[in-house]
Amino acid sequence: MPYAAFRSIGAYVPQKILTNEDLSKMVDTSDEWITKRTGIKERHIAAEDEFTSDLGVKAAQKAIERSGIALEDIDMVVCATISPDYFCMPSTATIISTKLGIKNVTAFDISAACTGFVYALAIAKAFIESGMKKNVLIVGAEKLSAITDYTDRGTCILFGDGAGAAIISATQDKEEAIIDVHTGADGEYADLLMTPNGGSGSVHDSLDTEARSCFMQMKGNETFKVAVRTLTKDVKDILQHNNIKSEDIKHFVPHQANYRIIKAVGDALKMTPEQVVLTVHKYGNTSGASIPMAINDLYESGELEAGEMMLLDAFGGGLTWGSALVPFAPLK
Ligand code: ACO
């Protein structure tokens, strides 16, 4: 049976930076409030003519180049996004494949909000282990600024744009294999975090709510509590299930939603500050892109070496959650 190996990582952030100071001129907030409640200092914002697929392509180009795998050997592209170029079709994954020049490919998007990259990892692993695919490009790409309400201080301070990508490949070497990926969801909490408009379930009360319902809405405080509770349990489960202890993890890479959530979960798992990867201060919450962007930061700073064990965990709209035990396995 083939195993799935995490071969390479790449990321891209758009040039424009939106600081807390900038936001305090747009809504009733302050750098102090945002920093204290979230840990975020700034986030990147894509240009008007720069789409989610463009961000994904730039991240993917780096991941492909670093993987040592030829473009023509990539046989599947999965894009995790809640801000696709087009809401119904075509999928952002098909646009990314075409812009990259990948032919004869299976390409599709998945919608699991901030857990999207972990879901994409689970899909890549399953396709590879079943023998159906050999080299899968997974992309987490978000232009969240396109679905953010910049009059709502409860959400607009949180989100940023960016993309991350990874190549997952078949291997016969069990030492290189992704150990496990857990994914979960519970639609009972759907109303905590949603974009009410744009689908077959849309109901409009007035023109004003109709316009605003295209944007993300969140019950932040309730989301926060469910996130800490669910993530702590999920991560404890995956470690226990695989007989791995917190100290065996070299890099704990949580979804970068809020410093306080990351700290609470890290503390519950007895992770040291050296183990916890933090990028939320400079990118904000980039949803499905946040985990691969954080792994890329680790890689580019020279801190991610072959064989080192990463523990990924994510939580997002749906609600959805997931975790993964992933050794970094570049081609030798
Ligand atoms: N600036 C100043 N005051 C604010 C702001 C702001 N930007 N936003 C809210 N407030 C006010 C509120 O109005 C409230 O005022 P009140 O007490 O007079 O009513 C007060 O601050 C406290 O509001 P809370 O919502 O209770 O603040 P909280 O401490 O919960 O922080 C936050 C809000 C940062 C949104 C937090 O709840 C959070 O991070 N939640 C989780 C987000 C998350 O993880 N989302 C999941 C992933 S996202 C995805 O899937 C796309």
Side-chain angles (χ1 to χ4, degrees):
M1 180 191 112
Y3 300 105
F6 191 105
R7 291 281 182 232
S8 68
I9 189 75
Y12 171 78
V13 277
Q15 271 189 339
K16 185 181 162 190
I17 291 175
L18 184 69
T19 64
N20 292 349
E21 208 55 52
D22 297 331
L23 280 164
S24 70
K25 292 176 193 134
M26 297 157 66
V27 288
D28 182 13
T29 191
S30 65
D31 174 46
E32 192 198 350
W33 193 96
I34 301 171
T35 306
K36 192 164 162 226
R37 301 282 176 132
T38 71
I40 300 167
K41 298 298 283 183
E42 58 189 36
R43 64 292 288 144
H44 291 247
I45 304 293
E48 215 164 297
D49 60 353
E50 199 174 24
F51 303 139
T52 296
S53 63
D54 298 315
L55 310 183
V57 163
K58 288 190 173 131
Q61 280 166 335
K62 282 196 194 161
I64 295 166
E65 188 192 312
R66 291 169 179 169
S67 72
I69 285 158
L71 200 67
E72 54 271 24
D73 292 334
I74 294 171
D75 45 12
M76 188 158 99
V77 176
V78 183
C79 181
T81 186
I82 52 165
S83 48
D85 286 13
Y86 305 100
F87 264 111
C88 298
M89 55 188 164
S91 72
T92 305
T94 57
I95 300 170
I96 290 174
S97 325
T98 302
K99 285 182 178 170
L100 287 168
I102 305 175
K103 307 252 184 249
N104 302 321
V105 72
T106 301
F108 58 95
D109 289 356
I110 56 144
S111 170
C114 302
T115 320
F117 188 77
V118 178
Y119 269 62
L121 192 65
I123 292 164
K125 181 175 183 286
F127 267 87
I128 288 171
E129 288 177 352
S130 69
M132 284 179 73
K133 299 291 176 189
K134 287 196 168 55
N135 298 299
V136 182
L137 167 65
I138 56 173
V139 184
E142 302 286 10
K143 184 174 178 176
L144 295 179
S145 58
I147 58 165
T148 296
D149 181 352
Y150 286 98
T151 66
D152 173 16
R153 67 177 182 174
T155 53
C156 73
I157 56 149
L158 299 172
F159 299 105
D161 301 338
I167 295 285
I168 314 298
S169 287
T171 179
Q172 294 301 325
D173 182 356
K174 198 174 178 195
E175 291 285 299
E176 292 188 326
I178 294 170
I179 295 174
D180 202 0
V181 188
H182 281 195
T183 49
D186 186 350
E188 288 288 328
Y189 293 105
D191 69 327
L192 291 192
L193 185 48
M194 68 190 306
T195 49
N197 200 355
S200 60
S202 308
V203 182
H204 313 305
D205 296 332
S206 72
L207 255 186
D208 185 48
T209 45
E210 185 174 342
R212 296 228 169 279
S213 62
C214 296
F215 298 133
M216 273 185 283
Q217 298 175 4
M218 180 169 69
K219 295 178 183 163
N221 196 274
E222 288 166 62
T223 308
F224 187 101
K225 289 176 200 153
V226 186
V228 173
R229 195 170 65 232
T230 311
L231 281 176
T232 306
K233 181 182 177 313
D234 189 53
V235 177
K236 279 185 177 163
D237 282 354
I238 198 170
L239 289 174
Q240 203 172 15
H241 188 246
N242 293 283
N243 207 13
I244 289 176
K245 297 192 175 60
S246 292
E247 56 265 34
D248 300 329
I249 302 300
K250 179 76 181 170
H251 306 290
F252 175 46
V253 192
H255 165 50
Q256 308 285 315
N258 180 314
Y259 174 70
R260 290 189 295 147
I261 297 178
I262 295 172
K263 171 114 177 56
V265 176
D267 287 351
L269 298 166
K270 300 193 169 48
M271 294 283 175
T272 64
E274 293 70 37
Q275 285 171 293
V276 182
V277 180
L278 269 181
T279 58
V280 69
H281 55 291
K282 52 181 177 173
Y283 303 137
N285 180 348
T286 57
S287 192
S290 98
I291 287 182
M293 285 169 69
I295 299 174
N296 184 70
D297 262 38
L298 205 57
Y299 177 81
E300 290 190 351
S301 63
E303 289 172 68
L304 180 61
E305 290 183 12
E308 288 181 347
M309 181 70 76
M310 296 183 280
L311 169 62
L312 318 183
D313 94 55
F315 182 88
L319 293 177
T320 56
W321 58 90
S323 52
L325 285 164
V326 184
F328 183 52
L331 276 177
K332 285 154 198 145

